[in-house]
Amino acid sequence: MRRISVLGAGAWGHAIASALRASGTLVRLWGRRPAEFVSSSLEEVLNFSRCIIVAVPAQEVRSVLMALDAFPLELCVMASKGLEHKSAQFMSEIGEEILPYCAMGALGGPNLAAEVEKGWPCGISMAAKDSITLMKILSFFKEGPFLLEPTLDLMGLQALSVFKNIMAIGYGLLYQAGLGENLLATFLVLALQESQRFSCALGGHPETALGFAGLGDLILTCTSPHSRNSQFGRFFPNPSSNLVEGVKSLAAIQARAKTVHLSLPLVQGIADILHGHTSLTQWPAKLAQMHQANMKKQMDG
């Protein structure tokens, strides 16, 4: 019988554990506070399986992984999505640094936790750097509610999974501007293109942007009323919460883009609005100017 431990007892951790159980996998769930089906003993959960899925908030991943160094783990799958603020590292990069002996993978896709918890079908991407690790990750999910999309593009999947949060804020800002659905659809295309450029600049594969972790997650995070990032943009400057991953990832994505000399006009435009350098009413015109400049650059070629 397959066994795996899930670290992180928030909504996403609970949803993953439920989906795994539905696929016939034995699961142990760890959280800092004990609860029904949740153990607060990290040792107990890690002794249950040498394979783990990490579903804690992105900024807690490093501290959690450092507590695992004494355990002989075989597989670590990152369900946490984000860039570490201080280092601008992706989750698998932190994992490789702290657990160099452990095979790394990651999950992505359009996955609202509440729907996954109910067992409703959805697409999920899973990535690793080698086919052996990828097949092992697949084995845990193959009988569950997911439409599976395996890829060897570990970097691309993670880059796209982070980038869509910022794009969702931008979508929410444009929704608030009230200039119609044509502009919103146009923005989604531009957001996909910039997401793909970011991913490919870091070594990702172009086709990953058209899959579940790219286009699928982008559409969901931008358009769903349950998306905290999109809702942040819709109600800015008075959102219900400032604790959204897109806001927290802005500086880290810009820092990472600088390492590969990549310009990100949409990201910069969103940052300018959030930091008060551009008004929301000015941004649609700036979007048009940006697109015209990009088209001229392509034609001049």
Side-chain angles (χ1 to χ4, degrees):
M1 182 68 74
R2 301 183 302 274
R3 292 178 170 225
I4 198 164
S5 296
V6 178
L7 307 186
W12 186 216
H14 269 285
I16 292 172
S18 295
L20 288 166
R21 292 190 187 102
S23 72
T25 299
L26 296 177
V27 184
R28 288 289 184 276
L29 181 60
W30 172 82
R32 297 189 187 278
R33 298 179 181 178
E36 187 177 11
F37 303 120
V38 180
S39 172
S40 60
S41 171
L42 196 56
E43 183 176 4
E44 174 191 336
V45 171
L46 294 176
N47 283 334
F48 175 76
S49 175
R50 301 304 184 198
C51 300
I52 63 170
I53 295 178
V54 178
V56 301
Q59 304 312 312
E60 296 178 18
V61 166
R62 182 177 293 275
S63 62
V64 169
L65 292 187
M66 289 180 69
L68 312 184
D69 192 37
F71 295 88
L73 296 174
E74 299 174 4
L75 173 67
C76 176
V77 183
M78 295 296 180
S80 305
K81 301 177 182 179
L83 277 167
E84 188 177 47
H85 299 165
K86 292 182 179 180
S87 67
Q89 286 181 306
F90 290 100
M91 301 297 100
S92 72
E93 293 175 317
I94 298 172
E96 289 167 354
E97 177 186 322
I98 298 174
L99 306 172
Y101 52 84
C102 185
M104 287 288 155
L107 304 178
N111 308 137
L112 289 174
E115 294 186 8
V116 175
E117 181 86 32
K118 294 175 182 177
W120 293 356
C122 63
I124 187 169
S125 298
M126 41 197 63
K129 289 184 177 179
D130 63 88
S131 56
I132 294 176
T133 302
L134 186 56
M135 292 305 295
K136 189 163 189 176
I137 299 171
L138 277 166
S139 71
F140 291 110
F141 290 90
K142 63 183 180 181
E143 297 172 20
F146 295 113
L147 286 72
L148 304 179
E149 182 183 65
T151 176
L152 295 176
D153 188 8
L154 181 58
M155 179 57 73
L157 179 144
Q158 292 179 101
L160 294 162
S161 295
V162 175
F163 205 88
K164 50 90 179 184
N165 289 321
I166 296 175
M167 296 300 99
I169 293 174
Y171 184 94
L173 290 168
L174 285 180
Y175 184 95
Q176 181 189 157
L179 295 176
E181 296 182 8
N182 291 340
L183 181 58
L184 293 174
T186 301
F187 176 81
L188 283 175
V189 175
L190 297 176
L192 177 64
Q193 292 172 350
E194 187 156 305
S195 300
Q196 187 180 54
R197 287 197 297 272
F198 179 68
S199 170
C200 291
L202 298 177
H205 306 162
E207 63 272 15
T208 307
L210 302 179
F212 295 152
L215 181 58
D217 205 2
L218 177 68
I219 292 172
L220 178 71
T221 311
C222 286
T223 65
S224 172
H226 303 293
S227 165
R228 286 178 293 178
N229 289 283
S230 185
Q231 291 299 305
F232 178 91
R234 293 186 191 204
F235 293 101
F236 181 83
N238 299 303
S240 59
S241 173
N242 288 308
L243 301 176
V244 296
E245 189 57 45
V247 173
K248 294 186 286 186
S249 296
L250 253 176
I253 280 184
Q254 290 177 308
R256 193 65 184 252
K258 284 181 181 179
T259 66
V260 290
H261 310 290
L262 179 67
S263 173
L264 298 173
L266 286 183
V267 172
Q268 186 60 55
I270 294 165
D272 286 345
I273 293 173
L274 299 188
H275 297 150
H277 304 313
T278 300
S279 72
L280 183 54
T281 56
Q282 293 172 320
W283 197 40
K286 288 199 170 186
L287 271 179
Q289 293 170 4
M290 177 204 75
H291 181 62
Q292 289 167 2
N294 285 341
M295 291 298 294
K296 185 177 185 302
K297 186 184 299 183
Q298 292 177 24
M299 293 177 68
D300 292 344

